[in-house]
Amino acid sequence: AATSTQRGAPDDDGNTPAHTPRPPPARGGSARAGPRRGLHGRSSSAAMMRVSTAQHTDTAAWAQVSAIVAELDPEVPAGFEATGFAELCRACDALRTQLLRHPLRSSRHKSTVLRSLFRLLDITDCRLRVKVVRNVVLLTDQIQTLSNVCKLLFAETRTEQNDRIMRQEGISEVLVHILRSTDWRLGANALMYCCGAIKNLSAASEAQAEFADAGAVEAFAATVKAIAAAPPDPAEDATLALHTLHMLVQMMAALRNLAANVVHRTAFVSSGIIESLCLLLQPFGREVDFMLNLSRVLSKLTLQSTSRDVLARVPGVMHELVRVLLLHEAHLPLSHRILFTLGNLTATDEDDTRAQLYAASNNAEALFDLLERYMEVDSQTTSDGDGASATPEIEEVLTKLVRVVANLCINPSVGPSVARAPRVLLLVRLLECKDVDTSRELVLNIVGAINNISFYRTDDNLVLQQRLQIAELIVPLLHNGIMEVMIETARVFGNFSQEHTVRDLLHRTRADELMVVLLDHENREVVYTACGVLMNMMGDTTGRTVLKTTGGVRSLVEVLVEFGNTDWQLAGMVCKTLWNFSEGYVDQLADVSDVFGEQEGEELTRILSEYIDQGVRLQSSSSPDFSIWEQEFVGVAQHLLSRLKRMTNHFVPLDEAPN
């Protein structure tokens, strides 16, 4: 049986004897002791009293424990009945209660109890084994014993039917205690099985909550921080390095389970484990299994803004993630998750993450390298003419990679640089060979990237240089019938339709009529996007005619009435569209009823006056909406209202004519 090692030889009751101090040798080197003084006698008496008290306490505790141990009959007959198991379980519970109240000090007594407990492990009953383990952990912290105990628990947790028993017996507290109290250098093997057991049990949401309450994340954080501070060197201790790696693989899998629940992510932030995990990227970045599980943790954490912001602030994290991505580009599941993490980090631009990733990827050249290679692999595995890949993993990676490129281009200092990069047209090539019905998410991300890039109206923007070809490629998507596809495509035409050749294409395909129909949609984003395209379509007589003859003016006025005083940005877009529409009639001295319609003209005049006056109330009440009203709405609204009034008063009555 394993016992604790203590300094000094214990007495029969396991207590280390008190040592009586010897006086120093006499001057001159004589070894004879000097006269004993009264102080020595008092120390000896006090020490004897302390020993006697401890001895009495341990003896009393042992008397109660030994009576319980006697019930732990190690000789289990072949036909042992369920009642026998129940008695053993009851005895184990009683033993644990006693040990918690009065811990044993004597190593000899501990060894006696441990021998009885170990014999019970031959009985293959999960509940009894767990009860035994809970007692063993109270009696010893010897590494080899803990390793055997954790190995047993790991084996039991591999059977899902045992999970309920484990939870009922509170094994989460035991595992977290082992994790918290074991030195990772001395007990890496024990911790590997401990983390493996936590991984198996924490797959269920109920168990995740129990582990979180027991402090599992904080215990993991302490271990990870210690390893990150002094990672093992395989050249110095290959066994320790290997055991540590195996432990980390299991630990990351357990952390992934805990990170899956948004409730527990607060502990990831407060414990500091996110920063420590990033420090493991450099020493363990080449280890595929470890990185796969770590990438799963990071992909879950970056779904929440708080933990995402913490990760983004870690110095050098973008460089490390890109390095690992390039190291393992052929490992598609790992590449997928790293790209998903990078996509989440660049979804917002806190701490300038987009510019950081742009620099870390050699001005996006590394991303285009990956895009080119993955497209080559995809072309070799494409099954039919519909563009669907026979290997779903490669399409998932392409989808996440294109999303990262799209996010980068939102940054105003990065977008123009990407727009002029020759390989940006790889996106168009990829779009040409994909069908929205079989590759919807990938097509959506490509169209989104094209939209972000086409926003920058520079002469060297390669996407804008090929806008007509791209427009011909994506215009069928406007009639796809899938709303998210239509919206994303319409956004692109919001940028492309500033060119008259693209407006002609939209008219030929009746896409301008579709935009008018979408003005009646209940979704604000759909209405805003359609309005943006129509604003550009008003640059041609054909576009104005379509708007007028299809009821577009009426729809725009209704949008202004419905959304206006709650969405000043949309209200401003409607006013710009109507302003552009009315431009074609200014030189004709047309009456407002002829241009807008009598009812529409009157309602538009009334609502604009009301909304302009409303800005005064917004300003006086210090409403945060005032700045949006001022920037997005009031300027164009005042100009449109003035035009409406001029159109109403073209002809002055004779009795009011000037001399």
Side-chain angles (χ1 to χ4, degrees), residues 442-459:
L442 176 55
V443 170
L444 279 170
N445 285 353
I446 296 172
V447 173
I450 290 173
N451 174 56
N452 292 347
I453 295 167
S454 62
F455 172 80
Y456 303 101
R457 299 187 60 77
T458 56
D459 293 338

Side-chain angles (χ1 to χ4, degrees), residues 471-520:
E472 291 172 342
L473 185 62
I474 66 174
V475 73
L477 298 178
L478 288 173
H479 303 276
N480 175 268
I482 302 173
M483 189 54 62
E484 59 180 339
V485 176
M486 295 167 61
I487 294 173
E488 202 62 55
T489 307
R491 289 194 181 108
V492 176
F493 281 107
N495 295 329
F496 281 5
S497 57
Q498 297 179 42
E499 177 66 33
H500 71 90
T501 55
V502 175
R503 294 198 295 271
D504 291 342
L505 172 66
L506 291 174
H507 181 63
R508 290 198 309 271
T509 58
R510 303 186 67 179
D512 48 359
E513 297 179 32
L514 175 62
M515 294 299 109
V516 173
V517 172
L518 291 178
L519 290 175
D520 295 328

Side-chain angles (χ1 to χ4, degrees), residues 25-37:
R27 293 174 182 255
S30 172
R32 286 191 302 173
R36 298 180 181 272
R37 301 185 182 275

Side-chain angles (χ1 to χ4, degrees), residues 595-638:
V595 178
F596 295 96
E598 183 176 356
Q599 181 180 352
E600 288 80 4
E602 291 178 0
E603 189 169 5
L604 187 57
T605 301
R606 177 187 61 79
I607 199 69
L608 287 175
S609 300
E610 179 182 326
Y611 287 173
I612 291 172
D613 292 341
Q614 189 171 337
V616 178
R617 294 191 295 273
L618 290 174
Q619 184 177 22
S620 62
S621 64
S622 301
S623 171
D625 292 336
F626 175 75
S627 60
I628 304 175
W629 173 88
E630 188 176 36
Q631 295 171 15
E632 301 285 346
F633 173 74
V634 68
V636 65
Q638 287 174 335

Side-chain angles (χ1 to χ4, degrees), residues 289-305:
D289 291 338
F290 166 75
M291 279 309 311
L292 179 59
N293 284 344
L294 175 56
S295 67
R296 286 170 172 153
V297 176
L298 297 179
S299 65
K300 293 295 181 185
L301 291 176
T302 52
L303 291 171
Q304 186 186 35
S305 61

Side-chain angles (χ1 to χ4, degrees), residues 31 78 80 162 218 226 301 380 390 402 523 530 537 576 596 601 613 637:
F80 202 69
N162 291 338
E218 291 79 5
L301 291 176
Q380 297 169 1
V402 172
N523 185 294
M537 295 297 293
K576 291 174 184 176
F596 295 96
D613 292 341

